[in-house]
Amino acid sequence: MTSQTTVKTLLILGASGDLTGRLLLPGLARLVATGRAKGLKLVGAGSDPWSPDEWRDRVHSTFAEAGKHDAAGAKALAAVERDTAYHQLDVTADGPLASLLAELEGPVAVYFALPPHISQKACEVLHPGQVPEGTRLVMEKPFGSSEESARELNRTLLTLVPEDHIHRVDHFLGKATVLNILGLRFANNFLEPVWNREHIAKVEIIFDEDLALEGRARYYDGAGALRDMIQSHLLQVMALMAIEPPATLGERDLRDAVAAVLRASSIKAPYKTSTRRARYTAGSIDGRQVIDYVKEEGVDSGRNTETLAEVQVDIDNWRWKGVPFILRSGKALGDQRKEAVVTFRPVPHLPKGFSGVDSPNQLRIGFGPDTLELDVDVNGPGDIFSLDRATLNAQLNASDLLPYGEVLEGVLTGDPLLSVRGDTAEDCWRIVEPVLKAWSRDTVPLEEYDAGSSGPARWSGSVPAAQ
Ligand code: BG6
């Protein structure tokens, strides 16, 4: 990526909110400190009546941390901090946001760090003529709440700016480990010939978190694990695992390849077989007591929100037909398992005379710690004709940016490579929507698991075997 920013002003809407403090400012700070956002102006806007000093304090506390051990970085951060401004604004009213946009030095990137319905309203009240040329619109997840609403939101956005100026954020696309999938797959000739249905039995993408609700009931209870993690992040990771080799890492080539995989993907009925869902009850994780999900403040037990979801996605194309892609994510699990696991088919014939265990080889890509592990069967030890399992390990390289920093760099340099394209955003809803409907009709039982366990006992911590 280039380091030339095309954006002059980053306007964060929802500047006083949690996302800005927890993720956006730290991501931006690292980017600024590494000298990759030279001359950028940062403007915050929010509905809270913050004084300029309150906003500057918020920026300062994050920036000071990022510049602690780096004098040049601290200087770059101080420059952004000095010029930053805060505006109290009702973005859903017709007028104020447009007036602010007209005042700011362009091109401006408008980051909607707001609840989705407010972002949508804010876009609806903007008129095309009020959005200066070159403006970039940055939308947080969830992008819509169904295929139809995502399409509607896309329509609204496209009246304001062209598609390549819309950045639908999925911070997993900014995770170094996820991007490492591309290098691993396309820079190693030994992998490509076996990366298909002939040699791969199943692919699992697992993101089991030990975090519980963490006070996020207002958002999470209306979302659940399937919408929160699988509809967005894990489908993106799956697509990178499954894409055809792109000619370049340009946004057009890569995003076309991702879109082609997702277009071929679906979760097939009967959903009782292809999906499972569960909700945690009280338990303890590393000595930390966790209460029943339904007793958490703000949770409505009648909503039957799942905190653990697992689905089998089928990719109906030449390369992947018949290979199950199992996507699973959950909260309050005892074991933080965050990895993509590729299980290869067994050898067609093991020469007679070998003893010991010959189990299918697995390749595992760990998402934090960022690792690569390849299981191979080897001879010995001791009896040289007895097989044993060895694991080749590599540490994957980290990025000097945080995931939000990677994504923001794309926004500021005008490269939508790490942003979700409009058609893909709609497709991800198309894939999960039938499941959401089936679950809302209780076609699939909502199971329970103790917080701190590895999921419902019946699941026994493993995903269904490949067919
Ligand atoms: C967020 C989800 O998008 O991703 C959270 O809303 C989840 O529920 C988080 O915990 C996981 O991402 P990370 O980068 O914090 O591991």
Side-chain angles (χ1 to χ4, degrees):
M1 276 192 195
T2 66
S3 58
Q4 189 63 44
T5 67
T6 57
V7 164
K8 288 276 180 275
T9 305
L10 175 63
L11 168 62
I12 301 180
L13 306 179
S16 49
D18 173 63
L19 176 74
T20 301
R22 218 161 33 85
L23 297 164
L24 275 185
L25 290 177
L28 179 66
R30 198 79 77 81
L31 189 61
V32 172
T34 53
R36 282 185 267 185
K38 286 204 176 75
L40 182 76
K41 291 206 163 51
L42 173 65
V43 176
S47 52
D48 289 323
W50 275 17
S51 67
D53 282 345
E54 268 171 297
W55 166 243
R56 198 164 288 116
D57 282 351
R58 174 170 241 199
V59 175
H60 179 73
S61 59
T62 312
F63 279 22
E65 184 61 31
K68 224 164 41 189
H69 305 297
D70 166 13
K75 207 169 147 208
L77 288 159
V80 176
E81 208 180 304
R82 200 171 41 237
D83 282 349
T84 193
Y86 179 83
H87 298 260
Q88 189 190 355
L89 205 69
D90 176 4
V91 293
T92 61
D94 194 346
L97 177 55
S99 313
L100 178 58
L101 274 177
E103 266 174 41
L104 299 175
E105 184 184 354
V108 178
V110 186
Y111 201 119
F112 293 85
L114 296 166
H117 64 283
I118 303 197
S119 302
Q120 186 155 351
K121 187 80 207 293
C123 293
E124 280 163 7
V125 297
L126 279 173
H127 307 295
Q130 296 173 329
V131 179
E133 186 142 357
T135 302
R136 293 182 172 272
L137 302 178
V138 191
M139 313 300 293
E140 258 298 329
K141 91 165 214 290
F143 186 83
S145 53
S146 62
E147 186 183 3
E148 185 44 41
S149 62
R151 187 169 298 134
E152 187 56 40
L153 185 50
N154 277 336
R155 268 190 225 118
T156 307
L157 294 172
L158 285 170
T159 62
L160 304 172
V161 299
E163 172 61 38
D164 61 1
H165 282 54
I166 304 170
H167 297 262
R168 297 170 195 80
V169 172
D170 186 310
H171 79 281
F172 270 51
L173 293 180
K175 280 184 189 266
T177 2
V178 172
L179 294 172
N180 274 322
I181 293 171
L182 296 175
L184 176 69
R185 282 199 54 200
F186 302 126
N188 296 291
N189 201 27
F190 70 93
L191 273 180
E192 179 55 23
V194 296
W195 207 256
N196 54 48
R197 64 191 301 279
E198 303 300 326
H199 299 281
I200 290 180
K202 67 174 170 180
V203 178
E204 296 154 57
I205 299 167
I206 312 287
F207 208 85
D208 287 351
E209 299 182 278
D210 61 358
L211 298 175
L213 188 59
E214 295 203 296
R216 294 169 76 213
R218 222 164 71 171
Y219 154 72
Y220 192 87
D221 199 42
L226 180 56
R227 289 187 184 85
D228 181 47
M229 291 296 298
I230 295 180
Q231 185 273 337
S232 49
H233 307 318
L234 299 198
L235 279 175
Q236 294 294 326
V237 176
M238 181 198 83
L240 294 177
M241 295 288 287
I243 53 169
E244 295 305 312
T248 71
L249 292 185
E251 66 89 8
R252 179 86 194 270
D253 284 339
L254 191 69
R255 299 202 303 171
D256 278 353
V258 164
V261 166
L262 291 168
R263 260 202 314 280
S265 302
S266 63
I267 301 167
K268 301 228 162 71
Y271 302 111
K272 229 175 153 170
T273 320
S274 59
T275 74
R276 330 198 251 198
R277 59 177 180 148
R279 185 167 69 184
Y280 68 79
T281 53
S284 100
I285 307 173
D286 276 343
R288 181 166 48 95
Q289 291 307 309
V290 174
I291 60 168
D292 271 350
Y293 174 77
V294 293
K295 293 201 181 127
E296 292 268 14
E297 204 184 323
V299 167
D300 172 358
S301 64
R303 273 201 178 118
N304 278 348
T305 300
E306 81 287 355
T307 58
L308 173 63
E310 184 181 290
V311 299
Q312 173 179 324
V313 181
D314 291 309
I315 305 177
D316 290 328
N317 63 15
W318 190 291
R319 186 189 287 262
W320 294 118
K321 182 75 187 169
V323 179
F325 281 74
I326 311 290
L327 276 45
R328 182 179 82 208
S329 183
K331 300 262 185 216
L333 290 154
D335 197 11
Q336 283 210 62
R337 206 181 142 206
K338 301 177 180 178
E339 57 182 2
V341 184
V342 177
T343 304
F344 291 92
R345 292 192 187 283
V347 292
H349 172 74
L350 185 69
K352 288 199 171 55
F354 271 126
S355 61
V357 188
D358 155 51
S359 45
N361 305 116
Q362 284 194 330
L363 174 76
R364 289 186 294 275
I365 303 168
F367 305 134
D370 296 355
T371 51
L372 183 66
E373 291 181 354
L374 178 63
D375 287 344
V376 287
D377 286 330
V378 295
N379 296 39
D383 177 356
I384 202 67
F385 290 107
S386 167
L387 295 170
D388 200 24
R389 174 68 16 127
T391 301
L392 313 179
N393 284 296
Q395 203 64 39
L396 293 177
N397 291 318
S399 157
D400 51 3
L401 297 180
L402 296 169
Y404 267 87
E406 289 283 357
V407 172
L408 272 173
E409 184 174 37
V411 171
L412 300 181
T413 56
D415 183 355
L417 177 72
L418 301 184
S419 300
V420 177
R421 203 169 66 187
D423 54 339
T424 297
E426 290 170 23
D427 243 337
C428 288
W429 281 116
R430 196 254 318 140
I431 293 166
V432 301
E433 235 169 58
V435 180
L436 290 168
K437 284 195 187 125
W439 288 6
S440 72
R441 289 193 303 267
D442 278 334
T443 312
V444 177
L446 178 63
E447 300 178 61
E448 290 192 332
Y449 59 99
D450 294 344
S453 69
S454 58
R458 205 175 63 82
W459 297 21
S460 52
S462 68
V463 295
Q467 295 149 348

